[in-house]
Amino acid sequence: MYLRIRHATTYRYAEPVVFGPHRLMLRPRDSFDLRVIDTAIAISPQASLRWMHDAYGNPVAMASFAGPSDTLEIVSELVIQRFGSALPRTKLEPDIESSEISYTPAERAVLQPYLDLAAADSDGALDAWLQAFRTRLNGGHLLRALAHEIYASLHYAVRFDEGTQHPLDTLRMGAGSCRDYAWLFIELARRLGFAARFVTGYIHERSPEGAGMTSVAGLTHAWADVFIPNDGWVEFDPTNDLVADRQLLRVAVARVPEDASPVAGSYVGPAGAFLGLSVGVAITPADGPG
């Protein structure tokens, strides 16, 4: 299927401010499951762009600004072709132990950053939650069950503030946004011995009513990738209880959420100058190349 994605980010200030360099992660990398047909970025005030690949291989545009302004608007437009994702075919029973997850030495050398825990669990609450979760399981795929458990046991809440909750906070509050769900799932999967990474992008509602969708259309989305032996990277979306679904439109991947922010930068201005941020995402069907 061909889709057109328009992602507009607008920052407003009480008076003109000077912008530092901004890091834009708005263009996906082509793969067997997602192909970029066309892409464009429009920025006001005028900015020059320098493209690079970051340490994860994500395409990144560095924006440098010529002058001050009281508004910064960044509009990304993409036309993509989405194919089917890799589905998990390896059988992972719920009683699998971390020591039984078999990565080759070459895989483990590359995957080690995604195996290392990044969220502290000083009182053992995450491990205790995992133990209780596994006690309740009767069969099926371990990671599918983990995503479903988060989907079913937490309350989805849109958060417009920046940053991602600590997984412990998400568990204790029983609520979070898509990025909070994803980060909790990733840290739990790592505690089970899997390599897992954070994914940002968009989600496309195939039905007009968005039936069955938990996350809100018109915003960016976040989910997780897990590296499964013999299956490779497989997408898990605990917010919507999806696994390797074509609705997930990947843009960037990272070890931790803060490395995958769609727009990151700074400004110099008086205290209290920042008035607010608005983000809008529109996804519509598109014609393929003629």
Side-chain angles (χ1 to χ4, degrees), residues 71-280:
T71 304
L72 170 58
E73 184 174 54
I74 301 168
V75 179
S76 166
E77 295 203 35
L78 296 169
V79 177
I80 65 165
Q81 184 179 13
R82 185 67 161 99
F83 304 91
S85 295
L87 286 163
R89 292 177 174 81
T90 303
K91 193 172 182 62
L92 295 175
E93 292 294 346
D95 60 353
I96 187 173
E97 296 295 336
S98 296
S99 60
E100 296 176 2
I101 301 168
S102 180
Y103 294 132
T104 68
E107 287 173 339
R108 188 166 289 274
V110 175
L111 295 172
Q112 193 58 53
Y114 306 106
L115 288 161
D116 292 340
L117 302 178
D121 184 22
S122 55
D123 60 1
L126 290 175
D127 287 332
W129 187 94
L130 266 181
Q131 183 177 359
F133 156 72
R134 295 177 73 166
T135 300
R136 294 191 298 270
L137 293 179
N138 295 317
H141 193 283
L142 178 62
L143 295 170
R144 283 180 181 268
L146 178 62
H148 178 76
E149 181 73 13
I150 293 173
Y151 166 80
S153 62
L154 299 183
H155 174 68
Y156 176 77
V158 178
R159 290 197 305 110
F160 292 102
D161 50 322
E162 295 183 358
T164 305
Q165 292 175 174
H166 193 287
L168 284 173
D169 293 332
T170 302
L171 277 184
R172 287 166 180 160
M173 291 186 293
S177 67
C178 61
R179 60 187 185 273
D180 303 321
Y181 278 50
W183 188 223
L184 171 62
F185 177 90
I186 288 165
E187 280 294 290
L188 292 173
R190 288 173 178 172
R191 282 170 168 79
L192 291 170
F194 291 94
R197 63 188 184 184
F198 191 84
V199 188
T200 57
Y202 312 104
I203 188 162
H204 170 55
E205 295 182 350
R206 288 201 292 252
S207 65
E209 299 79 18
M213 297 290 290
T214 299
S215 52
V216 177
L219 300 175
T220 55
H221 191 49
W223 59 97
D225 263 354
V226 180
F227 196 87
I228 300 175
N230 302 313
D231 282 335
W233 290 110
V234 178
E235 296 174 312
F236 291 85
D237 178 9
T239 305
N240 295 290
D241 203 17
L242 300 175
V243 178
D245 197 286
R246 289 203 304 164
Q247 290 173 265
L248 301 172
L249 310 174
R250 178 184 61 255
V251 172
V253 299
R255 185 181 71 90
V256 291
E258 54 265 33
D259 287 351
S261 177
V263 178
S266 62
Y267 73 92
V268 177
F274 179 65
L275 297 179
L277 160 68
S278 62
V279 177

